[in-house]
Amino acid sequence: MPEQEVLAAEFARYRQAVMTEIEVPGPAAVRRAVRRRRRSHLAAGATAALTLLAGPVVGYAALDRPAPGPTPVEPTPSATASPSPTPSGSGSPSPSSATTSTSPTGAPDGRISRAQLLAGPVTLPTWHVDAGCPNGRVRLTGEAGWETNTLLALDTGDIDGDGAAETVALVQCVRGTGGPQQVVAFDRDRSGRIVTVGQVTRTRLERPQWLIALDARDDGVVRVQVGDIAPGGGWPGDWSQRQWRGYRWDGRSFGQVSGPTAFGPNRHGVNLVLTATDLVLATAPDGSHPGTVTVRIRNAGTGPAAYVALRLDLPSALRPDGDGWAPCRNTPATTSQPVSCELGRLDAGAELRLTLGLRAAAGVTVGRGTADVEARPMDARSTVVEEVYGVDNLVRIDYR
């Protein structure tokens, strides 16, 4: 037999023998092998992902904001990943609680965002007795509505000296176009829940009636800008007197430690109310025509008028006459039309009554008509001061 045929026969016998000893894998065996390989790949990928993402997740949890989605990372050949412990706990925190970081002293971080304060109920200290506003466990709103507790402003600072920041909030109980206000300090407890520290200050009927701005400083002082009168009802905000007052936490409550404690008189708080009688002229023996006008000026406001400017827009033929003009600081007889009288201070609640004589010279015919009589408050610089309700500062009289 040729050599090639001998070798072919031997290889055929060997192949037959080997094939009888090897089991060809069927479909079930193939699926088992695929599952084993897939589990190995997933385990390795999960280990690497936990190692790479553990740091960012913890950091965002400490900041009390959602962690971003993982960014794909290309592992280096030399990196060796080991699984990190799986965080314990169930579910996400409630709106009033969150995982929070602590200061170097171990105190919880009390920085609270606007969204977090609006997310769930918080405890508000009591408003003044006559406010009729909800307090206790209430929801704050981001926009004003009828009888809502509206969040107006926020700031943060270490107000209790524990090495961590707290949050102060300016809140208004909106009733119509206005309502009382208060500044409240909030913190977090060690479980991350929002807790109320206390009321820093609030508006009062006797003033301040307006809280404008706040500034929480790291030296523990909470500064609040206050105004004597709140804008509204014809009162613009730039008429109000403004002050910065500082408050400090003593462990039990807030007390004022800096700034003024009271307001002086507001120059726009004056409200002059004027009445005047008609002018009826007679004929004197010398042929002249005398008459009187009785003027009553009352300050119905809460602030004094430094001066009062009285004007009588009568015909120029009628000139001041008699002693009734003596209270005037100027010389009315020298004034042209209208006749003016500059009066002195008129305190809140006070009243002036003047009987002012007027005379037309003999041979002058005055006739009949109407004339304006007006009283306006002035400040110390003799500048006319605007009033909220000025329609009662002017009356029209008849003369004849």
Side-chain angles (χ1 to χ4, degrees):
M1 179 182 294
E3 184 178 351
Q4 290 84 356
E5 294 180 2
V6 172
L7 289 174
E10 290 297 327
F11 276 115
R13 284 195 300 270
Y14 175 76
R15 185 167 54 251
Q16 182 66 30
V18 170
M19 293 302 292
T20 58
E21 298 296 327
I22 296 175
E23 178 185 2
V24 179
V30 172
R31 284 193 293 269
R32 286 194 298 271
V34 170
R35 282 198 296 270
R36 283 196 299 271
R37 285 195 295 270
R38 184 176 297 166
R39 282 196 296 268
S40 298
H41 285 300
L42 289 174
T47 299
L50 284 173
T51 302
L52 293 170
L53 296 178
V57 169
V58 172
Y60 275 86
L63 291 173
D64 196 23
R65 60 180 69 131
T71 302
V73 179
E74 202 62 39
T76 59
S78 59
T80 303
S82 59
S84 299
T86 302
S88 60
S90 61
S92 58
S94 64
S96 62
S97 65
T99 303
T100 182
S101 61
T102 58
S103 70
T105 62
D109 188 347
R111 285 173 290 194
I112 305 165
S113 70
R114 178 182 177 83
Q116 289 165 343
L117 276 180
L118 297 177
V122 295
T123 300
L124 279 189
T126 304
W127 301 91
H128 64 71
V129 176
D130 299 325
C133 294
N135 50 46
R137 294 292 288 175
V138 299
R139 291 290 294 264
L140 301 179
T141 62
E143 296 182 359
W146 182 259
E147 292 192 355
T148 59
N149 287 317
T150 304
L151 178 60
L152 301 181
L154 285 177
D155 200 9
T156 59
D158 184 4
I159 62 175
D160 57 6
D162 64 356
E166 287 76 40
T167 300
V168 288
L170 174 56
V171 180
Q172 181 174 23
C173 172
V174 179
R175 309 190 71 183
T177 59
Q181 299 169 292
Q182 62 174 310
V183 174
V184 185
F186 294 102
D187 200 356
R188 289 191 187 276
D189 62 17
R190 295 193 177 275
S191 65
R193 288 189 297 267
I194 296 174
V195 294
T196 302
V197 178
Q199 184 183 83
V200 179
T201 188
R202 62 174 174 83
T203 54
R204 289 170 170 78
L205 296 176
E206 65 276 11
R207 301 179 186 181
Q209 298 175 2
W210 187 22
L211 305 184
I212 305 166
L214 51 84
D215 173 29
R217 301 192 321 200
D218 284 337
D219 64 358
V221 175
V222 179
R223 298 174 68 240
V224 181
Q225 189 182 33
V226 300
D228 58 345
I229 301 173
W235 183 277
D238 57 6
W239 286 7
S240 299
Q241 299 179 91
R242 305 185 185 202
Q243 302 172 349
W244 280 98
R245 300 181 180 181
Y247 303 86
R248 188 184 293 277
W249 176 252
D250 65 4
R252 294 178 300 177
S253 62
F254 285 91
Q256 186 176 349
V257 294
S258 64
T261 58
F263 291 97
N266 190 303
R267 71 190 191 102
H268 292 282
V270 63
N271 178 26
L272 299 186
V273 180
L274 173 70
T275 60
T277 62
D278 292 338
L279 173 62
V280 179
L281 299 174
T283 301
D286 63 358
S288 63
H289 304 284
T292 59
V293 175
T294 300
V295 176
R296 176 185 176 218
I297 307 170
R298 180 170 56 91
N299 185 354
T302 58
Y307 302 104
V308 176
L310 177 65
R311 304 283 189 268
L312 294 87
D313 196 12
L314 292 162
S316 58
L318 292 168
R319 304 308 302 162
D321 181 60
D323 295 335
W325 300 86
C328 302
R329 301 170 60 246
N330 63 328
T331 307
T334 63
T335 60
S336 59
Q337 189 181 11
V339 177
S340 64
C341 171
E342 306 295 332
L343 298 163
R345 180 184 176 94
L346 186 62
D347 289 323
E351 181 179 292
L352 282 172
R353 285 178 178 266
L354 303 171
T355 300
L356 304 175
L358 294 147
R359 184 181 297 268
V364 175
T365 301
V366 176
R368 292 172 175 266
T370 59
D372 289 340
V373 179
E374 182 181 27
R376 291 291 178 186
M378 296 191 300
D379 61 17
R381 295 176 294 181
S382 296
T383 301
V384 173
V385 176
E386 294 181 83
E387 300 180 43
V388 172
Y389 191 70
V391 298
D392 52 8
N393 292 68
L394 184 145
V395 296
R396 181 161 289 180
I397 65 171
D398 293 328
Y399 62 86
R400 56 187 181 275

